[in-house]
Amino acid sequence: IQLTQSPSLLSASVGDRVTLSCKGSQNINNYLAWYQQKLGEAPKLLIYNTNSLQTGIPSRFSGSGSGTDYTLTISSLQPEDVATYFCYQYNNGLTFGSGTKLEIK
Amino acid sequence: EVQLVESGGGLVQPGRSMKLSCAASGFTFNNYDMAWVCQAPKKGLEWVATISYDGSSTYYRDSVKGRFTISRDNAKSTLYLQMDSLRSEDTATYYCARHGISGVFDYWGQGVMVTVSS
């Protein structure tokens, strides 16, 4: 399964509601996770099984979706959210999306 | 606290070998499947290989089958990746990761850089 993330680059203001998209080439059956990777750091798990928040992750992060289309939403963008976000499917094989780089405007 | 610490990276010539290690602590190592994930410079993430909790099963991405070997020593809580016949396209940061719930990688090491170049 191939994953297409959009946009590749997103610039938003502090406090904005931000939505990142991930589309699969086939049905992912909700086996979709999201990772945050800050510059020079390892990826950090944010969301798994489409909408389950990983322990310790702020509640401003949420996930949704079904079938082939999934979304990561940040309800109120904070400066520390600057990072690249990757989606990841584990329904059929293990593949990552190409990432969305999130910047502060 | 879960900790995964990789070691063994560096510069290696094409065709040569290198072995990576990942020391795990803060959890019961032999209860979890483990994996290696790589990231080429300024590129995305790619799953490389997975080993079951007891070492009985291993899985590889096609591009490394027959060249890379994942293994583990549960007595030492250590994961390994033996990389043979290295190619320039293997140049990447290699992360050790724990398979948590439903196959998701829930904890990652800090990564180790492998550069394949003459």
Side-chain angles (χ1 to χ4, degrees):
Chain A
I1 296 178
Q2 298 196 8
L3 299 177
T4 301
Q5 290 189 243
S6 61
S8 55
L9 175 64
L10 180 59
S11 186
S13 300
V14 173
D16 282 354
R17 181 181 182 87
V18 171
T19 300
L20 284 63
S21 175
C22 178
K23 185 175 180 65
S25 58
Q26 302 174 29
N27 189 351
I28 295 171
N29 288 312
N30 292 115
Y31 292 109
L32 194 286
W34 291 92
Y35 290 91
Q36 176 194 65
Q37 187 177 32
K38 295 183 178 180
L39 195 62
E41 297 185 5
K44 178 193 290 186
L45 177 64
L46 301 175
I47 302 281
Y48 61 95
N49 292 348
T50 296
N51 56 16
S52 296
L53 193 67
Q54 173 70 345
T55 302
I57 300 302
S59 59
R60 64 179 180 274
F61 292 92
S62 65
S64 63
S66 63
T68 60
D69 296 313
Y70 297 82
T71 298
L72 174 70
T73 300
I74 306 173
S75 60
S76 178
L77 185 65
Q78 300 302 304
E80 61 266 32
D81 299 335
V82 169
T84 299
Y85 293 81
F86 295 95
C87 58
Y88 162 72
Q89 72 80 25
Y90 41 106
N91 177 58
N92 183 351
L94 305 175
T95 51
F96 293 89
S98 55
T100 292
K101 186 175 182 180
L102 180 58
E103 300 179 337
I104 299 290
K105 195 182 294 183
Chain B
E1 178 192 7
V2 172
Q3 285 201 316
L4 299 169
V5 180
E6 301 95 338
S7 60
L11 176 64
V12 61
Q13 292 180 329
R16 302 298 289 266
S17 298
M18 177 172 280
K19 187 171 186 176
L20 306 181
S21 300
C22 171
S25 61
F27 66 102
T28 305
F29 183 70
N30 57 15
N31 281 355
Y32 290 87
D33 296 353
M34 297 293 296
W36 291 96
V37 179
C38 72
Q39 186 171 33
K42 299 192 188 293
K43 299 289 187 182
L45 298 158
E46 287 189 336
W47 166 76
V48 175
T50 288
I51 187 166
S52 62
Y53 68 98
D54 60 356
S56 63
S57 298
T58 57
Y59 310 89
Y60 300 92
R61 69 179 297 110
D62 287 346
S63 62
V64 308
K65 279 180 185 175
R67 299 190 300 121
F68 289 11
T69 303
I70 189 171
S71 62
R72 63 193 297 160
D73 184 336
N74 283 346
K76 296 182 178 179
S77 295
T78 301
L79 177 72
Y80 303 100
L81 184 67
Q82 175 69 42
M83 303 184 292
D84 298 323
S85 302
L86 281 161
R87 305 167 180 169
S88 58
E89 55 264 36
D90 297 321
T91 294
T93 296
Y94 286 78
Y95 296 98
C96 163
R98 189 180 84 169
H99 272 284
I101 307 162
S102 303
V104 174
F105 305 118
D106 59 355
Y107 287 95
W108 301 59
Q110 84 285 356
V112 62
M113 184 69 197
V114 173
T115 302
V116 183
S117 175
S118 53

